[in-house]
Amino acid sequence: YYGDSGLRAMLLDVVKKAAGREECALCEITYGPLSKRDAWRECEKRLGIAVEELHRDVLPAAWRIEPSQLPCVVARAGEQAPFVLVSKSEIVACDRSVERLERRIKDALAAT
């Protein structure tokens, strides 16, 4: 996610969402004002893979993902180095739709 972790960041995000000033396209898709969207929870189940959410301040430096690439969906098989599966521009193109993001993730997984 293109945001930081922790209580302070979470409270700031709530205020931003309430004011309509969300800064993270992935957050717009996956989270409502107070919690994860039900549609995203269902999507996670349908994907059938482990989904771990990481904020920019806890992203491992060894992954070499630049802040300008965030938000993105990253994949990793086994001990391989993670790679960007769905880019920032692809997430933005989903236009806040869980269904479109799910399709992009599935298409990208099928192509790898």
Side-chain angles (χ1 to χ4, degrees), residues 3 14 19 42 48 59-61 75 89 101 107-108 110:
V14 169
E42 293 302 315
L59 198 64
S89 63
L101 179 59
D107 289 349

Side-chain angles (χ1 to χ4, degrees), residues 3-70:
D4 293 328
S5 60
L7 182 59
R8 177 173 151 70
M10 182 189 69
L11 293 174
L12 184 58
D13 286 343
V14 169
V15 171
K16 286 179 184 177
K17 281 185 187 294
R21 300 189 63 202
E22 180 62 67
E23 296 175 351
C24 176
L26 189 55
C27 290
E28 286 182 316
I29 296 171
T30 59
Y31 276 84
L34 299 175
S35 65
K36 194 179 287 190
R37 294 183 190 280
D38 290 339
W40 178 244
R41 288 181 201 276
E42 293 302 315
C43 174
E44 287 179 316
K45 290 177 190 175
R46 287 190 301 271
L47 289 173
I49 56 175
V51 176
E52 181 180 358
E53 300 170 354
L54 295 175
H55 292 88
R56 66 182 171 202
D57 64 327
V58 295
L59 198 64
W63 289 10
R64 296 189 175 144
I65 296 174
E66 298 296 323
S68 63
Q69 293 177 274
L70 300 175

